[in-house]
Coordinates of all heavy atoms in Angstrom, one line a residue:
M28 N -16.2 40.2 20.1 CA -15.7 38.8 20.1 C -14.6 38.6 21.1 O -13.9 39.3 21.5 CB -15.0 38.7 18.7 CG -15.9 38.4 17.5 SD -15.1 37.9 16.2 CE -16.1 38.6 14.8
A29 N -14.7 37.4 21.7 CA -13.8 37.1 22.8 C -12.4 36.7 22.3 O -11.4 37.1 23.1 CB -14.4 35.8 23.5
G30 N -12.3 36.1 21.2 CA -10.9 35.9 20.7 C -10.2 34.8 21.6 O -8.9 34.9 21.6
R31 N -10.8 33.9 22.2 CA -10.2 33.0 22.9 C -9.8 31.8 22.1 O -10.4 31.4 21.1 CB -11.1 32.4 24.0 CG -11.3 33.4 25.2 CD -10.9 32.6 26.5 NE -11.8 33.0 27.5 CZ -12.6 32.2 28.2 NH1 -12.6 30.9 27.9 NH2 -13.3 32.6 29.3
G32 N -8.8 31.0 22.5 CA -8.5 29.8 21.8 C -7.4 30.0 20.7 O -7.2 31.1 20.3
T33 N -6.8 29.0 20.2 CA -5.8 29.1 19.1 C -6.3 28.9 17.8 O -5.6 29.2 16.8 CB -4.7 28.2 19.5 OG1 -5.4 26.7 19.6 CG2 -3.9 28.3 20.7
S34 N -7.6 28.6 17.7 CA -8.1 28.3 16.3 C -8.5 29.6 15.6 O -8.6 29.6 14.4 CB -9.4 27.5 16.4 OG -10.5 28.0 17.1
R35 N -8.6 30.7 16.3 CA -8.9 31.9 15.7 C -7.7 32.5 15.1 O -6.6 32.5 15.6 CB -9.5 32.9 16.7 CG -10.4 33.9 16.3 CD -11.1 34.6 17.4 NE -11.7 35.8 17.0 CZ -10.9 36.9 16.9 NH1 -9.7 37.0 17.3 NH2 -11.4 38.1 16.5
S36 N -7.8 33.1 13.8 CA -6.7 33.7 13.2 C -6.6 35.2 13.4 O -7.7 35.8 13.5 CB -6.8 33.4 11.8 OG -6.6 31.9 11.5
P37 N -5.5 35.8 13.4 CA -5.3 37.2 13.6 C -5.9 38.0 12.3 O -6.0 37.4 11.2 CB -3.9 37.5 13.7 CG -3.2 36.3 13.3 CD -4.2 35.1 13.3
R38 N -6.3 39.1 12.5 CA -6.9 39.8 11.4 C -5.9 40.2 10.3 O -6.2 40.3 9.2 CB -7.6 41.2 12.0 CG -8.9 41.6 11.2 CD -9.3 42.9 11.8 NE -9.0 44.0 11.0 CZ -9.4 44.3 9.8 NH1 -10.2 43.5 9.1 NH2 -9.0 45.3 9.1
M39 N -4.7 40.6 10.8 CA -3.6 41.0 9.9 C -2.4 40.2 10.2 O -2.0 40.0 11.3 CB -3.3 42.5 10.0 CG -4.4 43.3 9.4 SD -3.7 45.0 9.3 CE -5.3 45.9 9.2
V40 N -1.7 39.8 9.1 CA -0.5 39.1 9.3 C 0.5 39.7 8.3 O 0.3 39.8 7.0 CB -0.6 37.6 9.0 CG1 0.7 36.9 9.0 CG2 -1.5 37.0 10.1
R41 N 1.7 40.1 8.8 CA 2.8 40.5 7.8 C 3.6 39.3 7.4 O 4.2 38.6 8.3 CB 3.7 41.6 8.5 CG 4.7 42.2 7.6 CD 5.5 43.3 8.2 NE 6.4 42.7 9.2 CZ 7.6 42.1 9.0 NH1 8.0 42.0 7.8 NH2 8.3 41.7 9.9
G42 N 3.7 39.2 6.1 CA 4.5 38.1 5.6 C 4.0 37.7 4.4 O 3.2 38.3 3.7
S43 N 4.4 36.5 3.7 CA 3.8 36.0 2.5 C 3.6 34.5 2.7 O 4.4 33.8 3.3 CB 5.0 36.1 1.4 OG 5.4 37.3 1.2
V44 N 2.4 34.1 2.1 CA 2.2 32.6 2.2 C 2.9 32.0 0.9 O 2.5 32.5 -0.2 CB 0.6 32.4 2.2 CG1 0.3 31.0 2.0 CG2 0.0 33.0 3.4
V45 N 3.7 31.0 1.1 CA 4.3 30.5 -0.1 C 4.4 29.0 0.1 O 4.3 28.4 1.2 CB 5.8 30.9 -0.2 CG1 5.9 32.4 -0.6 CG2 6.7 30.7 1.0
T46 N 4.4 28.3 -1.1 CA 4.5 26.8 -1.1 C 5.8 26.3 -1.3 O 6.5 26.7 -2.3 CB 3.5 26.2 -2.1 OG1 2.1 26.8 -1.8 CG2 3.4 24.7 -2.0
H47 N 6.3 25.5 -0.4 CA 7.7 24.9 -0.5 C 7.5 23.5 -1.1 O 6.6 22.7 -0.7 CB 8.4 24.8 0.8 CG 9.0 26.1 1.3 ND1 9.6 26.1 2.5 CD2 9.0 27.2 0.7 CE1 10.0 27.3 2.6 NE2 9.7 28.1 1.6
R48 N 8.3 23.2 -2.1 CA 8.3 21.8 -2.7 C 9.6 21.2 -2.5 O 10.7 21.8 -2.8 CB 8.0 21.9 -4.1 CG 6.5 22.2 -4.4 CD 6.3 22.4 -5.9 NE 4.8 22.8 -6.2 CZ 4.4 24.0 -6.1 NH1 5.3 25.0 -5.8 NH2 3.2 24.4 -6.1
R49 N 9.7 20.0 -1.8 CA 11.0 19.5 -1.5 C 10.9 17.9 -1.6 O 9.8 17.3 -1.7 CB 11.4 19.9 -0.2 CG 10.4 19.5 0.9 CD 10.8 19.8 2.3 NE 9.7 19.5 3.2 CZ 9.6 18.3 3.5 NH1 10.3 17.3 3.1 NH2 8.6 17.9 4.4
R50 N 12.1 17.3 -1.5 CA 12.2 15.9 -1.4 C 12.5 15.6 0.0 O 13.2 16.3 0.7 CB 13.5 15.4 -2.3 CG 13.2 15.5 -3.8 CD 14.4 14.9 -4.4 NE 14.7 15.6 -5.7 CZ 15.2 15.2 -6.8 NH1 15.8 13.9 -6.7 NH2 15.4 15.9 -7.8
C51 N 12.0 14.4 0.4 CA 12.2 14.1 1.9 C 13.4 13.3 2.1 O 13.9 13.2 3.2 CB 10.9 13.3 2.4 SG 10.7 11.7 1.7
G52 N 14.0 12.7 1.0 CA 15.3 12.0 1.1 C 15.2 10.5 1.0 O 16.1 9.9 0.9
K53 N 13.9 10.0 1.4 CA 13.8 8.5 1.3 C 13.8 8.0 -0.1 O 13.0 8.5 -1.0 CB 12.4 8.2 1.9 CG 12.4 8.3 3.3 CD 11.0 7.8 3.9 CE 10.7 8.4 5.2 NZ 9.4 8.6 5.5
P54 N 14.7 7.1 -0.5 CA 14.9 6.7 -1.9 C 13.7 6.0 -2.5 O 13.5 6.0 -3.6 CB 16.0 5.8 -1.9 CG 16.2 5.3 -0.4 CD 15.7 6.5 0.4
T55 N 12.8 5.5 -1.6 CA 11.6 4.7 -2.1 C 10.4 5.6 -2.2 O 9.3 5.1 -2.6 CB 11.3 3.5 -1.2 OG1 11.1 4.0 0.1 CG2 12.4 2.4 -1.3
C56 N 10.5 6.8 -1.7 CA 9.3 7.7 -1.6 C 9.0 8.2 -3.1 O 9.7 8.3 -4.0 CB 9.6 8.9 -0.7 SG 8.1 9.9 -0.5
R57 N 7.6 8.6 -3.2 CA 7.1 9.1 -4.5 C 7.9 10.3 -5.0 O 7.9 10.7 -6.1 CB 5.7 9.4 -4.4 CG 5.4 10.6 -3.4 CD 3.9 10.9 -3.3 NE 3.5 11.6 -2.2 CZ 3.5 13.0 -2.2 NH1 3.8 13.7 -3.4 NH2 3.1 13.7 -1.1
C58 N 8.6 11.1 -4.0 CA 9.2 12.2 -4.4 C 10.7 12.1 -5.0 O 11.2 13.0 -5.4 CB 9.4 13.2 -3.1 SG 10.5 12.6 -1.8
A59 N 11.1 10.8 -4.8 CA 12.6 10.4 -5.2 C 12.8 10.8 -6.7 O 13.8 11.2 -7.2 CB 12.9 9.1 -4.9
G60 N 11.8 10.7 -7.6 CA 11.8 10.9 -9.0 C 11.9 12.4 -9.4 O 12.2 12.8 -10.4
G61 N 11.6 13.2 -8.4 CA 11.7 14.7 -8.5 C 10.5 15.3 -9.1 O 10.5 16.5 -9.4
E62 N 9.4 14.6 -9.4 CA 8.2 15.1 -10.0 C 7.1 15.3 -8.9 O 6.5 16.3 -8.9 CB 7.7 14.3 -11.1 CG 8.6 14.6 -12.4 CD 8.4 13.6 -13.5 OE1 7.2 13.0 -13.5 OE2 9.1 13.6 -14.4
Q63 N 6.9 14.3 -8.1 CA 5.8 14.4 -7.0 C 6.4 14.8 -5.6 O 6.6 14.0 -4.8 CB 5.1 13.1 -6.9 CG 4.3 12.7 -8.1 CD 3.4 11.5 -7.8 OE1 3.9 10.4 -7.7 NE2 2.2 11.7 -7.6
L64 N 6.8 16.0 -5.7 CA 7.6 16.6 -4.4 C 6.5 16.8 -3.3 O 5.3 17.0 -3.5 CB 8.2 17.8 -4.8 CG 9.4 17.6 -5.8 CD1 10.1 19.0 -6.0 CD2 10.4 16.6 -5.5
H65 N 7.0 16.8 -2.1 CA 6.1 17.1 -1.0 C 5.9 18.7 -0.9 O 6.8 19.3 -1.1 CB 6.8 16.7 0.3 CG 7.1 15.2 0.4 ND1 6.2 14.4 0.9 CD2 8.2 14.5 0.1 CE1 6.7 13.1 0.8 NE2 7.9 13.2 0.3
E66 N 4.7 19.0 -0.7 CA 4.4 20.4 -0.7 C 4.0 20.8 0.8 O 3.3 20.1 1.4 CB 3.1 20.7 -1.7 CG 3.5 20.6 -3.0 CD 2.5 21.2 -3.8 OE1 1.5 21.6 -3.4 OE2 2.7 21.2 -5.1
S67 N 4.5 21.8 1.2 CA 4.1 22.4 2.5 C 3.9 23.9 2.4 O 4.7 24.5 1.7 CB 5.1 22.1 3.6 OG 6.4 22.6 3.2
T68 N 2.8 24.4 2.9 CA 2.7 25.9 2.9 C 3.1 26.6 4.1 O 2.8 26.0 5.2 CB 1.1 26.1 2.7 OG1 0.6 25.3 1.5 CG2 0.8 27.5 2.4
V69 N 3.8 27.6 3.9 CA 4.5 28.2 5.0 C 4.1 29.7 5.0 O 3.8 30.3 3.8 CB 6.0 28.1 5.0 CG1 6.3 26.6 5.1 CG2 6.7 28.6 3.8
L70 N 4.3 30.3 6.1 CA 4.4 31.8 6.1 C 5.8 32.2 6.1 O 6.5 31.8 7.0 CB 3.6 32.3 7.4 CG 3.7 33.9 7.5 CD1 2.7 34.5 6.5 CD2 3.3 34.4 8.8
S71 N 6.2 32.9 5.1 CA 7.6 33.6 5.1 C 7.5 34.9 5.5 O 6.7 35.8 5.2 CB 8.0 33.4 3.6 OG 9.0 34.2 3.4
Y72 N 8.4 35.3 6.4 CA 8.5 36.7 6.9 C 10.0 36.9 7.3 O 10.8 36.1 7.4 CB 7.6 36.8 8.1 CG 7.9 36.0 9.3 CD1 8.6 36.5 10.4 CD2 7.5 34.7 9.4 CE1 8.9 35.7 11.4 CE2 7.9 33.8 10.4 CZ 8.5 34.3 11.5 OH 8.9 33.6 12.6
S73 N 10.2 38.2 7.4 CA 11.5 38.7 7.7 C 11.5 39.2 9.1 O 10.6 39.9 9.6 CB 12.1 39.6 6.8 OG 11.4 40.8 6.8
E74 N 12.5 38.9 10.0 CA 12.6 39.3 11.3 C 14.0 39.7 11.6 O 14.9 38.7 11.4 CB 12.0 38.2 12.3 CG 11.9 38.7 13.6 CD 11.2 37.5 14.5 OE1 12.0 36.5 14.6 OE2 10.2 37.6 15.0
R75 N 14.2 40.9 11.9 CA 15.6 41.3 12.1 C 16.6 41.1 10.9 O 17.6 40.5 11.2 CB 16.2 40.9 13.5 CG 15.5 41.5 14.7 CD 16.2 41.0 15.9 NE 15.2 40.7 17.0 CZ 14.8 39.5 17.4 NH1 15.3 38.4 16.7 NH2 13.8 39.3 18.2
G76 N 16.1 41.3 9.8 CA 16.9 41.1 8.5 C 17.1 39.6 8.1 O 17.7 39.4 7.1
R77 N 16.5 38.8 8.8 CA 16.5 37.3 8.5 C 15.2 36.8 8.0 O 14.1 37.1 8.6 CB 17.0 36.4 9.6 CG 18.3 36.8 10.1 CD 18.9 35.9 11.2 NE 19.1 34.5 10.6 CZ 19.5 33.5 11.3 NH1 19.9 33.6 12.5 NH2 19.6 32.3 10.7
T78 N 15.2 36.0 6.9 CA 14.0 35.4 6.4 C 13.7 34.1 7.2 O 14.6 33.3 7.4 CB 14.1 35.1 4.9 OG1 14.4 36.3 4.3 CG2 12.8 34.4 4.3
R79 N 12.4 34.1 7.7 CA 12.0 33.0 8.4 C 10.7 32.3 7.8 O 10.0 33.0 7.1 CB 11.8 33.4 9.9 CG 13.0 33.8 10.7 CD 12.6 34.4 11.9 NE 14.0 34.8 12.8 CZ 14.5 33.9 13.4 NH1 14.1 32.7 13.6 NH2 15.7 34.2 14.0
F80 N 10.6 31.1 8.3 CA 9.3 30.4 7.8 C 8.7 29.7 9.0 O 9.3 29.3 10.0 CB 9.7 29.3 6.8 CG 10.4 29.7 5.6 CD1 11.8 29.5 5.6 CD2 9.8 30.4 4.7 CE1 12.6 30.0 4.5 CE2 10.5 30.7 3.5 CZ 11.9 30.5 3.4
V81 N 7.3 29.8 9.0 CA 6.6 28.9 9.9 C 5.5 28.2 9.1 O 4.9 28.6 8.2 CB 5.8 29.9 11.0 CG1 4.9 30.9 10.4 CG2 5.2 29.0 12.0
M82 N 5.5 26.9 9.4 CA 4.6 25.9 8.7 C 3.2 26.3 9.1 O 2.8 26.6 10.2 CB 4.8 24.5 9.3 CG 6.2 23.9 8.9 SD 6.1 23.2 7.2 CE 5.2 21.7 7.5
L83 N 2.3 26.3 8.0 CA 0.9 26.5 8.2 C 0.1 25.2 8.1 O 0.2 24.5 7.0 CB 0.4 27.5 7.2 CG 1.0 28.9 7.3 CD1 0.6 29.7 6.1 CD2 0.7 29.6 8.6
P84 N -0.7 24.7 9.0 CA -1.5 23.6 8.8 C -2.6 24.0 7.8 O -3.0 25.2 7.6 CB -2.3 23.5 10.1 CG -1.9 24.6 11.1 CD -0.9 25.4 10.3
P85 N -2.9 23.0 6.9 CA -3.8 23.2 5.8 C -5.1 24.0 6.2 O -5.6 24.9 5.4 CB -4.2 21.9 5.2 CG -2.9 21.0 5.6 CD -2.5 21.7 6.9
A86 N -5.6 23.7 7.3 CA -6.8 24.4 7.8 C -6.7 25.9 8.0 O -7.7 26.7 8.0 CB -7.4 23.7 9.0
K87 N -5.4 26.2 8.2 CA -5.2 27.7 8.5 C -4.8 28.5 7.3 O -4.8 29.8 7.3 CB -4.0 27.8 9.4 CG -4.3 27.4 10.9 CD -4.6 28.8 11.5 CE -4.9 28.6 13.0 NZ -5.5 29.8 13.6
V88 N -4.4 27.9 6.1 CA -3.9 28.6 5.0 C -4.8 29.7 4.5 O -4.3 30.8 4.3 CB -3.5 27.6 3.8 CG1 -3.1 28.4 2.6 CG2 -2.3 26.6 4.3
A89 N -6.1 29.5 4.2 CA -6.9 30.4 3.6 C -7.0 31.6 4.6 O -7.0 32.7 4.1 CB -8.2 29.8 3.5
A90 N -7.2 31.3 5.9 CA -7.3 32.5 6.8 C -6.1 33.3 6.9 O -6.1 34.6 7.0 CB -7.7 31.9 8.3
V91 N -4.9 32.7 6.9 CA -3.7 33.5 7.0 C -3.5 34.3 5.7 O -3.0 35.3 5.6 CB -2.5 32.5 7.2 CG1 -1.1 33.2 7.2 CG2 -2.6 31.9 8.6
Q92 N -3.8 33.6 4.5 CA -3.7 34.3 3.2 C -4.5 35.5 3.3 O -4.1 36.7 2.8 CB -4.0 33.4 2.1 CG -4.0 34.0 0.7 CD -2.6 34.3 0.2 OE1 -1.7 33.3 0.1 NE2 -2.2 35.5 0.0
A93 N -5.8 35.4 3.8 CA -6.7 36.6 3.8 C -6.1 37.6 4.8 O -6.2 38.9 4.5 CB -8.0 36.2 4.3
A94 N -5.5 37.2 5.8 CA -5.0 38.2 6.8 C -3.7 38.8 6.2 O -3.5 40.1 6.4 CB -4.5 37.5 8.1
V95 N -3.0 38.2 5.4 CA -1.8 38.8 4.7 C -2.3 39.8 3.7 O -1.8 40.9 3.6 CB -1.0 37.7 4.0 CG1 0.1 38.3 2.9 CG2 -0.2 36.8 5.1
E96 N -3.4 39.5 3.0 CA -4.0 40.5 2.1 C -4.5 41.7 2.8 O -4.4 42.8 2.2 CB -5.0 39.7 1.2 CG -4.3 39.0 0.1 CD -5.1 37.9 -0.6 OE1 -6.3 38.0 -0.5 OE2 -4.6 37.0 -1.2
R97 N -5.1 41.5 3.9 CA -5.7 42.7 4.6 C -4.5 43.6 5.1 O -4.6 44.8 5.1 CB -6.5 42.1 5.9 CG -7.9 41.8 5.6 CD -8.7 41.8 6.8 NE -8.4 40.6 7.6 CZ -8.9 39.3 7.4 NH1 -9.8 39.2 6.6 NH2 -8.5 38.3 8.1
Y98 N -3.3 42.9 5.6 CA -2.2 43.7 6.0 C -1.7 44.5 4.7 O -1.5 45.7 4.9 CB -1.1 42.8 6.4 CG 0.2 43.6 6.8 CD1 0.2 44.4 7.8 CD2 1.2 43.4 5.8 CE1 1.4 45.1 8.1 CE2 2.4 44.2 6.0 CZ 2.5 45.0 7.2 OH 3.6 45.6 7.4
R99 N -1.6 43.8 3.6 CA -1.1 44.6 2.4 C -1.9 45.8 2.0 O -1.5 46.8 1.6 CB -0.9 43.5 1.3 CG 0.2 42.6 1.6 CD 0.8 42.1 0.3 NE 1.8 41.1 0.7 CZ 2.0 39.9 0.2 NH1 1.3 39.5 -0.8 NH2 3.0 39.1 0.6
A100 N -3.3 45.5 2.0 CA -4.3 46.6 1.6 C -4.1 47.7 2.6 O -4.1 49.0 2.2 CB -5.6 46.0 1.7
A101 N -4.0 47.5 3.9 CA -3.9 48.5 5.0 C -2.5 49.2 4.7 O -2.5 50.4 4.9 CB -3.9 47.9 6.3
Q102 N -1.5 48.5 4.5 CA -0.2 49.1 4.2 C -0.2 50.0 3.0 O 0.4 51.1 3.0 CB 0.9 47.9 4.1 CG 2.3 48.5 4.0 CD 3.3 47.4 3.7 OE1 3.0 46.5 2.9 NE2 4.4 47.5 4.3
A103 N -0.8 49.6 1.9 CA -1.0 50.4 0.7 C -1.7 51.7 1.0 O -1.3 52.7 0.5 CB -1.6 49.6 -0.4
T104 N -2.8 51.6 1.7 CA -3.6 52.7 2.2 C -2.8 53.7 2.9 O -2.7 54.9 2.6 CB -4.9 52.3 2.9 OG1 -5.6 51.3 2.1 CG2 -5.7 53.5 3.3
L105 N -2.1 53.2 3.9 CA -1.2 54.1 4.7 C -0.1 54.7 3.9 O 0.2 55.9 4.1 CB -0.5 53.1 5.8 CG 0.3 53.8 6.8 CD1 -0.6 54.7 7.7 CD2 1.0 52.7 7.8
E106 N 0.5 53.9 3.1 CA 1.6 54.5 2.2 C 1.1 55.6 1.3 O 1.6 56.7 1.2 CB 2.3 53.5 1.4 CG 3.3 52.7 2.3 CD 4.0 51.5 1.6 OE1 3.8 51.5 0.3 OE2 4.7 50.8 2.3
A107 N -0.2 55.4 0.8 CA -0.8 56.3 -0.2 C -1.1 57.6 0.6 O -0.9 58.7 0.1 CB -2.0 55.8 -0.8
A108 N -1.6 57.5 1.9 CA -1.9 58.7 2.7 C -0.7 59.4 3.0 O -0.6 60.7 3.0 CB -2.6 58.2 4.0
G109 N 0.5 58.7 3.3 CA 1.7 59.4 3.6 C 2.3 60.0 2.5 O 2.9 61.2 2.6
E110 N 2.1 59.5 1.2 CA 2.7 60.1 0.0 C 1.8 61.4 -0.3 O 2.4 62.5 -0.6 CB 2.5 59.2 -1.1 CG 3.4 58.0 -1.1 CD 5.0 58.4 -1.3 OE1 5.2 59.3 -2.1 OE2 5.9 57.7 -0.7
A111 N 0.5 61.3 -0.2 CA -0.3 62.4 -0.4 C -0.1 63.6 0.6 O 0.0 64.6 0.1 CB -1.9 62.0 -0.3
G112 N 0.2 63.1 1.8 CA 0.4 64.2 2.9 C 1.8 65.0 2.5 O 1.8 66.1 2.7
R113 N 2.7 64.2 2.1 CA 4.0 64.8 1.8 C 3.9 65.7 0.6 O 4.5 66.8 0.5 CB 5.1 63.7 1.5 CG 6.5 64.3 1.3 CD 7.6 63.2 1.2 NE 7.3 62.5 -0.2 CZ 7.7 61.4 -0.4 NH1 8.6 60.7 0.5 NH2 7.4 60.8 -1.5
A114 N 3.1 65.3 -0.6 CA 2.9 66.0 -1.6 C 2.3 67.4 -1.3 O 2.6 68.5 -1.7 CB 2.1 65.3 -2.8
E115 N 1.2 67.2 -0.3 CA 0.5 68.4 0.1 C 1.4 69.3 0.8 O 1.4 70.5 0.6 CB -0.6 67.9 1.1 CG -1.7 68.9 1.3 CD -2.6 68.3 2.4 OE1 -3.1 67.2 2.2 OE2 -3.0 69.0 3.3
L116 N 2.2 68.9 1.7 CA 3.3 69.6 2.4 C 4.2 70.3 1.5 O 4.3 71.6 1.7 CB 4.1 68.7 3.3 CG 5.3 69.4 4.1 CD1 4.7 70.3 5.1 CD2 6.2 68.3 4.7
I117 N 4.7 69.7 0.5 CA 5.6 70.2 -0.4 C 5.0 71.4 -1.2 O 5.5 72.4 -1.5 CB 6.3 69.2 -1.3 CG1 7.3 68.3 -0.4 CG2 7.1 69.8 -2.4 CD1 7.7 67.1 -1.0
T118 N 3.7 71.1 -1.7 CA 3.0 72.0 -2.4 C 2.7 73.4 -1.5 O 2.9 74.4 -2.0 CB 1.6 71.5 -2.9 OG1 1.9 70.3 -3.6 CG2 0.8 72.5 -3.6
G119 N 2.3 73.1 -0.3 CA 2.1 74.2 0.6 C 3.3 74.9 1.0 O 3.3 76.2 1.0
L120 N 4.5 74.3 1.0 CA 5.7 75.0 1.3 C 6.1 75.9 0.2 O 6.5 77.1 0.2 CB 6.9 74.1 1.5 CG 6.8 73.2 2.9 CD1 7.9 72.2 2.9 CD2 6.8 74.2 4.1
G121 N 5.9 75.3 -1.2 CA 6.2 76.1 -2.3 C 5.2 77.2 -2.5 O 5.7 78.4 -2.8
A122 N 4.0 77.1 -2.2 CA 3.0 78.2 -2.2 C 3.3 79.4 -1.2 O 3.3 80.5 -1.5 CB 1.6 77.7 -2.0
A123 N 3.8 78.9 0.0 CA 4.1 79.9 1.0 C 5.3 80.7 0.5 O 5.3 81.9 0.6 CB 4.5 79.2 2.2
R124 N 6.3 80.0 -0.1 CA 7.5 80.7 -0.6 C 7.1 81.7 -1.7 O 7.6 82.8 -1.7 CB 8.5 79.7 -1.1 CG 9.8 79.7 -0.3 CD 11.0 79.1 -1.0 NE 10.7 78.0 -1.9 CZ 10.7 76.7 -1.6 NH1 10.9 76.4 -0.3 NH2 10.4 75.8 -2.4
G125 N 6.2 81.2 -2.6 CA 5.7 82.0 -3.7 C 5.1 83.2 -3.4 O 5.1 84.2 -4.1
N126 N 4.4 83.2 -2.3 CA 3.6 84.3 -1.8 C 4.4 85.6 -1.3 O 3.8 86.7 -1.2 CB 2.5 83.9 -0.8 CG 1.4 83.1 -1.4 OD1 1.3 83.1 -2.6 ND2 0.7 82.3 -0.6
R127 N 5.6 85.2 -1.1 CA 6.4 86.3 -0.4 C 6.9 87.3 -1.5 O 7.3 86.9 -2.6 CB 7.5 85.7 0.4 CG 7.0 85.2 1.7 CD 7.9 85.1 2.7 NE 7.3 84.4 3.8 CZ 7.9 83.5 4.7 NH1 9.1 83.3 4.5 NH2 7.2 82.9 5.5
Ligands
LIG17 ZN1 9.2 11.9 0.0

């Protein structure tokens, strides 16, 4: 795949897709009553200890959500492998000690 252009989404994205609901501040707007708030979907992520948001255009939301889920699945697999490796190491160290 060439991967050219900006319409293509990355395979993995670290962050969370969240919906923000807010009032725009115009007294005549439908949101003024506090029930029909404006919704915007954003990618929330932390960078150098600060939480940041980037707006997602509606056409991008599904692809970004899928990429976030792929990242989480890969992260969970990696963590499980690391945990299993450590358990194996500790078991091995214990067996080596026990054999002496
Ligand atoms: Zn409004």
Side-chain angles (χ1 to χ4, degrees):
M28 279 194 215
R31 282 235 219 125
T33 54
S34 63
R35 208 168 159 279
S36 292
R38 213 183 97 70
M39 287 194 201
V40 172
R41 185 177 67 81
S43 305
V44 175
V45 295
T46 302
H47 282 178
R48 289 176 184 82
R49 57 177 179 78
R50 287 180 218 208
C51 66
K53 287 181 200 153
T55 55
C56 184
R57 65 179 167 89
C58 69
E62 283 173 16
Q63 287 187 290
L64 301 181
H65 300 273
E66 291 192 356
S67 55
T68 306
V69 302
L70 178 74
S71 164
Y72 62 100
S73 63
E74 191 177 62
R75 288 183 221 107
R77 299 185 64 173
T78 301
R79 294 172 174 275
F80 302 103
V81 62
M82 292 276 288
L83 297 175
K87 279 269 185 192
V88 170
V91 174
Q92 180 70 63
V95 164
E96 279 161 21
R97 276 194 292 272
Y98 172 75
R99 290 202 182 138
Q102 188 186 39
T104 301
L105 184 65
E106 282 178 11
E110 290 291 326
R113 190 180 59 200
E115 192 184 320
L116 172 70
I117 291 169
T118 302
L120 292 175
R124 244 200 326 271
N126 286 344
R127 286 199 189 148

